Amino acid sequence: MLGPVETRSVSPVFVGRADELDTLNDALARAAAGEPQALLIGGEAGVGKTRLVEEFATTACGRGAVVALGGCVEIGADGLPFAPFSTALRALRRALPDELTAAAAGQEGELARLLPELGEAPAGRHDEQSTARLFELIARLLERVAADRTVVVALEDLHWADASTRHLLAYLFRTLRTGRLVVVATYRADDIHRRHPLRPLLAELDRLRTVRRLELGRFNRTEVGRQIAGILAAEPDPAQVDEIFERSDGNAFFVEELAVASCEGCCTGLTDSLRDLLLVRVEGLPESAQRVARIVAEGGSTVEYRLIAAVARLAEDDLIEALRAAVNASILSAAPDGDGYRFRHSLVREAVSDDLLPGERSRLNRRYAEALEADPTLVASDARAMRLASYWYHAHDAAKALPAVLDASVIARRRHAFSEQLRLLERAMELWDTAPEDVRAALRPVDYTEAFPPCGCDPDTTPLRYLDLMAEAAVAGRLAGERERALKITKRALHLLEEEGDPVRAAWFWVMRSRLVQALARGNGWQELATAQDLVRGLPPSEVHADVLAQVANWSMVHVPGPEAFTAAERAVEYARMVGAREIEMSARLTLGSLTVHSGDLEAGLKEMYEVRRQTIENGMTAIAARVYVNLPDALEAVGRSAEAVPVLEEGVAHTRKFGLVDSEAWVWGNLAESLFNLGRWDEAATAAGTSERVGQSAIPRGFHATLRAQLALARGDLADCAAQLAAARGHFGTHDRSPQHELPLVRITLGAAAGEGRLLDARAELRRALDQGFPPDTHRYAWPLLLTAAIAEADALGLPATETGRAEILQDIRKAATTLAANVPVWHAHEHWVRAELRRAEGHSDPDDWAAVTAAFETLDRPYDLARVRHRLAESLLAVGGEDERDRATELLRLAHAVAEHLGARPLADAVARLAQRARLGLTHAPKQTPAPADQAEALGLTGRERDVLRLVSAGRTNRQIAEELFISPKTASVHVSNILAKLGVSGRGEAAAVAHRLGLFHAERLPSRSAG
C-alpha cells in the first residue's frame, strides 16, 4: 500500500460557504444541548459538498464530537443495502467500542443485519414490520450512543443510495427526538431527475420542520480567484481568473481541473466537452496507470487493494507505481479506511467508465468475479455476495450470474433490505430463461417464503421453480412497500398457474393479491380471498390452507363479523395444529377469542386472548404478541372495560417499542387514546393520539388516529378542527374499503358536527345512508353511539319549524334500528336507556324517571363525560317538573356536570349547563356557608392525609399501580383508599372525583411531574 503522497490540485484554502458552515455549526451547538439535528446538503456534481462536510467534520472533532462518515456505494448500477449506515456504525464502533456495545445490548442479533461484527443475525419469519423493527432499533442505538456525547453521522452520495438506506434515513429524520446527534446527508442535485428514486424522499423531508436543507450554489468570480490562488499557491493573473471562471461557470471541481491544466501548460489541448475535460489528465498518465484507473472505475465506488491486484495481474512494484502515478495526479485517492482506492471525484470515475468499450467492461467484470470466487477474503464478508452478483451480472454470464444473484437476494432478505431483494429477484427472473438447464436444476428454494409451498416435496432434491422465484419476489415487494411491482408479479404468477392446475400455490397467490389490493386501496380484498378459499376447499390440510382460513377469519372479523367468521377461525386453528404452523394457529386463536367476545361469551373469549398473549410472549412470537396488544384491549373496550384495557395497552406500548413494531405501536397508541377518552383523561388521550400519528406509517392507522382527534375536537367544540380531521381520516381510509369499525364512527362524528353547526337536514342524510346500509352483526359498539348522536340531534332541534317535516319518520327509524342491537353488557345497556330517553325528549316528553334510570346506569360506569351529559338532562327534566326538592337536586347535578365539563374542556357541555343554570337562576358554585370554612377543604370533606395524597394523584390521571409506586404502598391499598375517597365525596368514579377536586381547587397550586401515557 502507498504512504502519503503529494497532490497539488486540492486547494488548502476553504473558500466561501460561510452561511452554510454557520448553519452546520449552529446544528452542532443545538445537538450538544440535546436537540437532534437533521440536515440535507444538495448541489451539482463538483460544487463542493464533500469539502464542506470535511470542513464541518474538522470543526466538530475540534469541539469534542465523534464523527462517523458513511458513503453510498455504487457497483455498476447497483447500491449495497445499508452501505453508508454500516460504514458509519463501524466508525462509531471503532471510536466508541464500549458505548456502542452497551447501547446494542440485548439486540445484537437484529443489529447484526447492519453491523455483522455484533454477531449472527437471527433467522425466521419476516413480516411487514421486520424493516420497521430494524429501523427502530437503529434509531434507539444512535440515541443511546449520543446520550452523553455529541455524535455526527455524515452520509454522502444519497443519489446512489439503495431503497433500504433511503427508507432508514427517512425514518431517522422523522423519529429522532432525543440525543446529542447530528445527521448530515449529501446528494447530487443535478442527478435527481423526475423519476429518480430519491426525489420522493426529498419531497417528504421538505415537509418535515425538523429537517434543514442546504443547496450549494456555484462560486462567484471572487471565490474562484481565491480557489485558484490556493491551488497555485500564488496570486493568479486576472485574465486567467476570468477565463477559468467563464469556462468552469463557478463549479469548484471544474475550476480545479482547469487551474491545474493551465498550470501544466495543456490548456490549449482541452476541448469544451465535459468528458474530454475530465479525461484529459487520465490520458496523460502512463499506460499502466490508465489501465489501473479503468479497472478501479469498473470495480465500484471503492475497490480494495488486493482485489485490484488480482484483477490487474501486474507485478506488485508495477502496480504500486501505477497507483502512485494516479494518486499524484489526483485521479485516485486512498479510501478513508486505508484498505483500497477510489476516484477522487465520482465525475472522473463516470467519465472513465463511460469510455470503456462494451467488451472491455464485460471482461473486467468477469475478472472481478473470478478473482472474488478464487479468494473470497478479498472483500468484506458482508459485501461479498452483493458484489459477486453484480460482477457476474455485468459480465453477461447467466450461468454464473443466476446462482450469485439468488445468493445475494437471500443476504438482502436477512438484512431486511427487501427493496434490494426484490431488485435481485427480478434480475434472477430476467436471467432464468437464458441460464442453462443444468444450472437451474441444481438450484434449490432460496429462502423461506411465508406459507408458500416451495417445491411440493423434498426441498433438498427438488429444483427451484420459476414460480418459487415469483413468490419470493411478491413477498419482497409487499414487505418493501413496492406493492405495484408485487401486484404485477402476482398477476403474472396467477396467469401461469391457470395452465398448471396447482390449487395450493394458486390459493397462496390469491391471498397475496388480496393483501396487496387492500394495501393499494383497490378494493376490500374479499373477492381474492373467496377465490383462494374455493381453491383449497376439499383439499388435505396444509399451511397454505390454514393461512387462507386465518386470513378469511380476520377479514370477516373486521368487515362482516358473524357465524362465518367464527367457523373460519375455528377451522384455521384446527388446520394450523394439524400441520404444525404455530404462528398461524396463534393468530387464528386470537381472532377466535375476539369473535367469541363479540358474540357475547365475554369471559371465555377474553380468557383465550389472555392465553394467546402468554404463549406468544413466552415463545418469542413478537409480531403476533403485538397483534394481541391491539386486539385484546379493543375487545375490553368493546364491552366497556376501559380501565382494564389501559394497563394492557401500556404493556403494548413497551412491547412494540422494544421490538420496533411501528405500525402495531401506532394501533396501540390509538386504542389507548380511545380508552383514555372514555375514562375522562382527555389531555392524555390527545397526547396518545398525537403520538400514534407520529409513529404510524400505514394509511389505515392514520385514518383511525384522525378519527380519534375529530371525536375529541367535536366534544371540545372545535368544529373547524373536527372537519379537518374528518377529511384527513376519509383520505386515509379511501373509498374502496369501508369497514364498519372505521365507517360508523366517521358517520357518527360527521352527523354530530352537522348538528353542532345547525345543519340537521345534513345530519339526517348521514343517518339515512347508514341505516340504509344496515348494521352488520356484532357492530353494536359503533351503532349505539351513532343512534344516540342522531337522537340527541333530533331532540335538540325540537320546535324548529324547518325540522318538523320528517321528524316522526326519523325517530321511528332510530327506534327500529335500536331493536336490532345487542345490549348485553352494562355500557350498552346504559346506552339503550339513553337512546330511548333522547327519543322521548325529541317527542316533547322528558320524564325525570327516565333520566334517573339512565343516570343510575352510568353511575356504575367509569365514564365521567357521559355521566355529566345525562346528569345535565336529568337536571333539565327536574327543573321542568318544578318544586323545591327538585331544584335542590338539579342544582347539585348541574354543579357536578359543570365541574366535569370544565375539567375536560368540553365547552359545548359546559355552555349548555351554564345556560340551563342561568335560565333557572341557579348558581353553579356553592353558596358561602354562614359558619367559617375550614382552612383545608380536604379536611372538611373528611379526607385523611393519605387520602388527600391519593386524590391528588387520581386527579392527575394516575392508575392504582402508578399511585402505589409513587406513594410506596401496594396497589390493593391504593384501591382501598380510592374507594374510601369516592364514598366521602359522594361520587361514582375517578373522573368525577377529579372533577370535584378541580372545582374545589384542592390542588390548584401543585404541579405534578408529567407522565407519558405509555
Side-chain angles (χ1 to χ4, degrees):
M1 298 296 292
L2 299 181
V5 294
E6 266 189 45
T7 62
R8 60 175 302 182
S9 58
V10 179
S11 172
V13 179
F14 182 70
V15 177
R17 312 303 186 204
D19 292 342
E20 292 85 353
L21 197 56
D22 285 346
T23 299
L24 290 168
N25 289 332
D26 175 67
L28 186 66
R30 289 172 179 266
E35 182 183 348
Q37 300 293 301
L39 302 101
L40 284 171
I41 301 176
E44 66 178 0
V47 81
K49 301 180 294 297
T50 298
R51 186 64 191 276
L52 176 62
V53 170
E54 289 172 351
E55 193 72 16
F56 171 59
T58 301
T59 301
C61 290
R63 297 182 183 179
V66 175
V67 178
L69 299 175
C72 299
V73 178
E74 185 191 29
I75 307 173
D78 310 326
L80 288 178
F82 300 120
F85 283 103
S86 296
T87 304
L89 289 175
R90 284 194 181 94
L92 279 179
R93 189 167 183 262
R94 287 193 297 270
L96 304 168
D98 295 338
E99 291 85 347
L100 190 132
T101 299
Q107 300 295 341
E108 292 88 348
E110 282 294 326
L111 292 170
R113 301 185 193 280
L114 262 70
L115 193 58
E117 292 89 336
L118 292 177
E120 186 72 25
R125 183 183 289 265
H126 304 273
D127 54 44
E128 286 91 338
Q129 300 195 58
S130 297
T131 303
R133 180 163 57 249
L134 178 61
F135 289 2
E136 177 69 9
L137 293 176
I138 295 296
R140 300 293 81 78
L141 176 74
L142 291 174
E143 287 182 345
R144 293 187 188 111
V145 172
D148 301 319
R149 68 197 50 78
T150 304
V151 173
V152 176
V153 176
L155 309 173
E156 293 200 88
D157 300 325
L158 280 188
H159 50 278
W160 286 335
D162 58 282
S164 297
T165 293
R166 295 194 300 271
H167 296 161
L168 175 52
L169 183 67
Y171 183 83
L172 292 178
F173 279 2
R174 282 196 306 267
T175 62
L176 286 174
R177 295 288 182 269
T178 62
R180 297 164 59 180
L181 183 67
V182 180
V183 180
V184 181
T186 71
Y187 65 94
R188 190 189 292 177
D190 49 333
D191 271 9
I192 311 303
H193 51 77
R194 191 167 62 180
R195 295 185 179 180
H196 194 286
L198 186 62
R199 192 180 184 95
L201 172 62
L202 296 176
E204 177 187 350
L205 297 181
D206 274 343
R207 293 191 290 269
L208 297 180
R209 289 175 294 177
T210 55
V211 179
R212 284 188 274 183
R213 187 165 167 183
L214 305 178
E215 291 289 342
L216 299 191
R218 297 175 178 180
F219 286 157
N220 58 34
R221 185 194 180 284
T222 301
E223 290 168 333
V224 167
R226 291 176 55 201
Q227 183 186 5
I228 296 171
I231 293 170
L232 303 181
E235 193 64 31
D237 180 73
Q240 182 186 30
V241 174
D242 289 340
E243 181 183 359
I244 291 178
F245 176 62
E246 181 180 353
R247 300 189 69 185
S248 68
D249 205 15
N251 182 286
F253 177 68
F254 295 163
V255 169
E256 180 180 314
E257 293 294 305
L258 289 166
V260 173
S262 175
C263 178
E264 294 175 351
C266 59
C267 182
T268 57
L270 297 176
T271 70
D272 290 332
S273 128
L274 172 61
R275 181 179 297 176
D276 286 346
L277 171 62
L278 296 173
L279 289 177
V280 65
R281 280 192 293 120
V282 176
E283 293 170 350
L285 293 173
E287 180 56 38
S288 61
Q290 290 189 49
R291 178 184 172 193
V292 169
R294 289 193 291 270
I295 289 171
V296 175
E298 197 58 24
S301 299
T302 300
V303 187
E304 296 77 0
Y305 170 75
R306 292 175 58 226
L307 183 56
I308 296 172
V311 175
R313 302 176 184 176
L314 293 172
E316 187 170 13
D317 289 345
D318 293 340
L319 176 60
I320 288 177
E321 284 306 312
L323 287 168
R324 184 176 297 278
V327 171
N328 279 334
S330 291
I331 303 300
L332 299 180
S333 64
D337 59 7
D339 186 42
Y341 293 88
R342 63 182 183 182
F343 277 81
R344 200 183 64 76
H345 200 285
S346 58
L347 285 173
V348 180
R349 174 179 170 251
E350 291 173 16
V352 173
S353 180
D354 288 345
D355 203 42
L356 292 173
L357 299 173
E360 187 178 16
R361 178 173 286 108
S362 299
R363 181 172 58 84
L364 285 175
N365 275 281
R366 175 176 292 278
R367 281 195 181 180
Y368 271 115
E370 290 171 345
L372 198 49
E373 280 192 343
D375 185 359
T377 66
L378 292 174
V379 302
S381 59
D382 57 331
R384 186 180 305 133
M386 291 291 178
R387 290 177 66 174
L388 190 61
S390 179
Y391 292 146
W392 278 126
Y393 178 79
H394 290 103
H396 304 299
D397 188 331
K400 289 284 193 177
L402 180 58
V405 164
L406 292 175
D407 288 343
S409 75
V410 174
I411 299 298
R413 182 180 179 89
R414 290 174 184 169
R415 300 186 78 182
H416 297 335
F418 300 117
S419 294
E420 285 62 48
Q421 184 201 10
L422 174 60
R423 175 178 54 79
L424 289 162
L425 290 170
E426 288 176 330
R427 189 167 282 180
M429 290 189 285
E430 171 196 334
L431 294 166
W432 185 264
D433 288 335
T434 57
E437 178 61 35
D438 60 323
V439 171
R440 298 203 303 264
L443 297 174
R444 296 294 175 262
V446 293
D447 205 353
Y448 183 71
T449 316
E450 299 182 337
F452 184 78
C455 57
C457 48
D458 185 359
D460 292 330
T461 60
T462 304
L464 175 73
R465 302 200 319 169
Y466 187 72
L467 278 171
D468 303 335
L469 277 184
M470 301 183 85
E472 283 284 350
V475 172
R478 178 171 59 82
L479 299 184
E482 300 282 355
R483 299 183 181 96
E484 287 285 2
R485 289 159 70 186
L487 185 59
K488 287 181 181 179
I489 293 168
T490 301
K491 288 178 177 179
R492 284 169 48 205
L494 288 170
H495 180 71
L496 292 175
L497 281 163
E498 290 177 0
E499 304 172 359
E500 293 207 12
D502 191 335
V504 175
R505 282 186 175 81
W508 185 92
F509 276 107
W510 278 110
V511 170
M512 176 63 65
R513 182 166 173 170
S514 171
R515 300 173 75 168
L516 294 169
V517 163
Q518 292 180 73
L520 289 166
R522 303 277 177 78
N524 63 16
W526 173 246
Q527 188 58 50
E528 291 79 7
L529 283 178
T531 303
Q533 198 172 17
D534 289 341
L535 285 165
V536 297
R537 186 174 285 115
L539 296 180
S542 65
E543 191 170 349
V544 171
H545 201 155
D547 189 42
V548 169
L549 292 171
Q551 295 291 337
V552 167
N554 189 53
W555 188 97
S556 301
M557 178 183 70
V558 173
H559 293 83
V560 285
E564 290 186 3
F566 200 93
T567 301
E570 286 183 320
R571 291 181 62 211
V573 172
E574 178 187 356
Y575 277 40
R577 284 174 175 166
M578 287 182 186
V579 299
R582 284 283 289 162
E583 290 198 11
I584 295 176
E585 178 195 342
M586 288 296 108
S587 182
R589 284 179 61 184
L590 178 61
T591 301
L592 186 60
S594 183
L595 289 166
T596 302
V597 170
H598 292 304
S599 69
D601 195 350
L602 310 184
E603 298 309 321
L606 291 172
K607 181 180 178 181
E608 175 71 348
M609 297 179 85
Y610 275 111
E611 177 61 19
V612 172
R613 181 181 67 165
R614 183 189 68 80
Q615 291 193 29
T616 53
I617 291 174
E618 286 181 358
N619 292 288
M621 301 178 186
T622 55
I624 306 299
R627 188 174 163 233
V628 175
Y629 282 119
V630 175
N631 288 19
L632 172 56
D634 180 72
L636 291 168
E637 188 61 47
V639 296
R641 289 157 68 165
S642 305
E644 186 178 343
V646 168
V648 178
L649 288 161
E650 290 172 340
E651 288 181 24
V653 168
H655 174 87
T656 51
R657 278 186 168 176
K658 177 180 179 181
F659 295 103
L661 303 169
V662 180
D663 267 359
S664 294
E665 184 187 345
W667 279 112
V668 172
W669 278 111
N671 284 346
L672 181 59
E674 184 178 21
S675 294
L676 292 171
F677 178 88
N678 288 329
L679 290 170
R681 295 160 62 178
W682 285 10
D683 289 340
E684 292 176 78
T687 300
T691 303
S692 64
E693 170 66 17
R694 290 194 301 272
V695 170
Q697 306 298 316
S698 299
I700 301 300
R702 285 175 177 264
F704 176 41
H705 310 149
T707 303
L708 294 171
R709 290 193 295 276
Q711 174 178 309
L712 186 57
L714 178 62
R716 285 183 160 167
D718 190 344
L719 295 180
D721 186 46
C722 178
Q725 298 297 342
L726 281 172
R730 292 199 181 278
H732 288 308
F733 289 138
T735 58
H736 296 278
D737 186 3
R738 293 290 180 84
S739 62
Q741 67 173 344
H742 302 310
E743 182 64 16
L744 294 180
L746 285 179
V747 172
R748 169 176 57 83
I749 297 168
T750 303
L751 193 157
E757 293 174 344
R759 297 183 289 107
L760 185 64
L761 297 183
D762 290 340
R764 286 177 177 175
E766 286 290 333
L767 175 65
R768 176 63 58 206
R769 282 191 288 271
L771 294 179
D772 288 346
Q773 293 177 4
F775 300 133
D778 301 330
T779 57
H780 51 277
R781 66 177 290 193
Y782 310 110
W784 277 121
L786 193 160
L787 294 182
L788 175 64
T789 302
I792 291 173
E794 293 295 333
D796 288 346
L798 181 65
L800 297 177
T803 64
E804 289 305 309
T805 302
R807 177 189 300 279
E809 182 183 355
I810 282 288
L811 297 182
Q812 183 58 31
D813 288 343
I814 294 174
R815 277 197 177 90
K816 182 178 178 181
T819 62
T820 67
L821 302 180
N824 55 340
V825 292
V827 66
W828 306 126
H829 184 65
H831 272 75
E832 181 182 30
H833 282 297
W834 193 357
V835 169
R836 289 176 180 172
E838 290 290 359
L839 289 173
R840 286 180 56 76
R841 185 168 73 91
E843 294 170 333
H845 309 292
S846 191
D847 189 334
D849 291 339
D850 290 341
W851 287 109
V854 177
T855 303
F858 275 98
E859 284 177 340
T860 65
L861 307 173
D862 200 356
R863 295 197 170 205
Y865 177 57
D866 290 339
L867 180 57
R869 294 166 74 193
V870 298
R871 279 177 168 167
H872 167 232
R873 291 303 174 201
L874 175 57
E876 183 180 52
S877 65
L878 288 169
L879 291 172
V881 171
E884 196 62 34
D885 289 343
E886 284 76 6
R887 282 182 63 83
D888 289 344
R889 189 178 172 197
T891 300
E892 187 57 32
L893 287 168
L894 289 176
R895 286 171 178 167
L896 289 170
H898 192 263
V900 170
E902 287 290 332
H903 176 71
L904 297 177
R907 183 51 46 201
L909 176 60
D911 291 346
V913 170
R915 286 194 299 269
L916 178 59
Q918 185 178 26
R919 290 200 308 270
R921 297 184 178 180
L922 300 176
L924 291 176
T925 57
H926 288 284
K929 297 183 179 180
Q930 298 301 316
T931 56
D936 190 341
Q937 291 279 3
E939 182 180 341
L941 294 169
L943 299 178
T944 66
R946 175 59 83 188
E947 288 168 349
R948 178 193 174 101
D949 292 338
V950 172
L951 179 56
R952 177 173 60 89
L953 296 172
V954 167
S955 299
R958 303 293 196 262
T959 64
N960 287 345
R961 177 171 57 79
Q962 294 167 341
I963 292 171
E965 290 173 357
E966 295 203 27
L967 299 181
F968 302 101
I969 58 178
S970 70
K972 184 175 181 180
T973 301
S975 175
V976 171
H977 284 311
V978 170
S979 298
N980 291 338
I981 291 167
L982 299 182
K984 290 180 180 181
L985 297 183
V987 297
S988 62
R990 302 165 77 97
E992 285 189 71
V996 170
H998 173 78
R999 175 164 53 86
L1000 297 179
L1002 295 183
F1003 309 116
H1004 64 277
E1006 300 185 34
R1007 295 281 184 182
L1008 289 174
S1010 62
R1011 179 187 293 266
S1012 167

